Amino acid sequence: VVGVFHVHSTWSDGTAEIADMAEKCRKMGFKYMGLSDHSKAAAYAGGLTEDRLRKQMREVDELNNGWKDFRILKGLECDILPDGSMDMTSEILGKLDFVIGSVHSRFDMSEKEMTDRICKALTNKHLDILGHPTGRLLLSREPYKVDLERVLQEAKRARKVIELNANPHRLDLDWVHVKRAHDLGVMISIGPDAHSTQGIEDIVYGVATARRGWLSAGDILNTRTADEALEWLNHD
C-alpha cells in the first residue's frame, strides 16, 4: 500500500490537525494521504459546509507546498442521503480529488430501499468510493439490510471503488464479500477510517482482510501512486 484514503481531522470529528495526520502517514512510509472529513449532514461529527470545505482545500494547498515527497489529496466523506443523492453540491464535489460516499443515517430502511439508495448514489459521477458498505460495527451494530450482490454488480457496471474499511470496529467489507468483489473485478480501496494519528496504523487490519479475500496488489486502488490512483478514479 503506497497511500491511504479515508482520513479525518479536527475539521470534523478527528482528534489531530491535518498536518499531524499527514506527518504520521509520511513517517509510516506512505506517499499520499486522502483527507476525507465528513459532510454537513453529519452534523454530530462537525460535518463541513461548502464554505468550510473550500477553506480546508486552501489549507491543503499550503501544506502541499511544503513537501516534495508527500501529497495530501483533497477529499470528502460525503453522506449518501436517504433518497440516494449526495450531501454537497456538484460544483464543490467536482473540485475534489476524490469523494467517498457513505451511509450514516436511516439504517432502518428495508433491504430494497437501502439497496436502491446506494445503487443510485453509485451512478453519481462525483462518487468515487463507497465507504463501509454495510454500516456494521462489530459487537455493537448489525449491518443495515442491503443486497450486497446488487451493490457490487452496480459498482462493477459504474466502475466505482468499494472500500475495505480497516477500522477494527468495522472490517467492512468482510473477507467473504472482498472475495466476491475480486471475482467480479471490482476495485477495492483499503481505508483506515482514521480519526487519530494512531488510527492510521489500522491499515494493517485491512491488508490482512484483503489477503484473506484473495486480493493482490493490482486489485487495490491505493497500491498505486497518487497520480495513478487519480487517473483510475477520473476515467470517463
Side-chain angles (χ1 to χ4, degrees), residues 26-57:
R26 276 187 79 226
K27 286 176 180 169
M28 288 179 66
F30 297 125
K31 298 300 183 184
Y32 59 91
M33 177 186 85
L35 179 66
S36 53
D37 278 307
H38 287 283
S39 64
K40 58 183 185 281
Y44 58 88
L48 301 176
T49 62
E50 281 84 356
D51 282 345
R52 287 186 66 223
L53 180 55
R54 287 188 187 93
K55 287 176 185 170
Q56 184 188 73
M57 290 164 74

Side-chain angles (χ1 to χ4, degrees), residues 133-134 136 148-149 152 162-166 170-190 205-216 219-220:
T134 76
R136 75 177 186 177
L148 260 181
E149 178 65 21
L152 291 174
I162 299 288
E163 179 180 68
L164 196 179
N165 190 296
R170 291 188 183 273
L171 296 179
D172 181 12
L173 291 175
D174 64 27
W175 74 270
V176 175
H177 293 114
V178 166
K179 175 74 164 57
R180 179 60 182 150
H182 169 269
D183 292 345
L184 287 170
V186 175
M187 183 68 73
I188 296 288
S189 171
I190 303 176
Y205 301 116
V207 171
T209 301
R211 286 176 175 152
R212 203 173 171 203
W214 291 83
L215 295 192
S216 60
D219 303 314
I220 298 166

Side-chain angles (χ1 to χ4, degrees), residues 4 10-11 27 37 58 90 105 123 147 159 205 213 232:
V4 292
T10 52
W11 281 77
K27 286 176 180 169
D37 278 307
R58 288 195 289 272
S90 285
S105 63
T123 67
D147 182 348
R159 203 165 180 263
Y205 301 116
W232 197 96

Side-chain angles (χ1 to χ4, degrees), residues 11 18 35 48 50-64 72-75 91-97:
W11 281 77
I18 298 171
L35 179 66
L48 301 176
E50 281 84 356
D51 282 345
R52 287 186 66 223
L53 180 55
R54 287 188 187 93
K55 287 176 185 170
Q56 184 188 73
M57 290 164 74
R58 288 195 289 272
E59 180 177 322
V60 170
D61 284 337
E62 290 171 13
L63 287 168
N64 277 335
I72 302 171
L73 303 180
K74 298 170 190 168
E91 187 266 333
I92 191 79
L93 293 178
K95 294 183 184 303
L96 295 168
D97 292 318

Side-chain angles (χ1 to χ4, degrees), residues 76-204:
L76 184 72
E77 185 177 16
C78 187
D79 266 45
I80 297 172
L81 300 177
D83 66 355
S85 63
M86 304 298 282
D87 181 38
M88 300 288 248
T89 65
S90 285
E91 187 266 333
I92 191 79
L93 293 178
K95 294 183 184 303
L96 295 168
D97 292 318
F98 73 99
V99 175
I100 298 172
S102 300
V103 170
H104 291 117
S105 63
R106 289 292 312 278
F107 294 156
D108 59 344
M109 284 179 150
S110 71
E111 180 178 299
K112 183 180 185 307
E113 288 173 327
M114 185 63 82
T115 306
D116 287 347
R117 172 187 186 177
I118 293 171
C119 286
K120 178 182 173 184
L122 288 170
T123 67
N124 189 302
K125 67 179 181 180
H126 296 298
L127 185 150
D128 298 304
I129 302 168
L130 176 64
H132 42 70
T134 76
R136 75 177 186 177
L137 290 175
L138 296 172
L139 304 179
S140 65
R141 186 171 72 205
E142 290 295 310
Y144 41 68
K145 296 183 181 70
V146 63
D147 182 348
L148 260 181
E149 178 65 21
R150 228 185 99 200
V151 168
L152 291 174
Q153 294 278 1
E154 181 59 34
K156 171 66 174 172
R157 189 200 66 76
R159 203 165 180 263
K160 303 294 187 179
V161 179
I162 299 288
E163 179 180 68
L164 196 179
N165 190 296
N167 185 303
H169 298 292
R170 291 188 183 273
L171 296 179
D172 181 12
L173 291 175
D174 64 27
W175 74 270
V176 175
H177 293 114
V178 166
K179 175 74 164 57
R180 179 60 182 150
H182 169 269
D183 292 345
L184 287 170
V186 175
M187 183 68 73
I188 296 288
S189 171
I190 303 176
D193 199 351
H195 290 72
S196 65
T197 54
Q198 187 176 359
I200 297 164
E201 297 175 10
D202 289 341
I203 194 82
V204 298

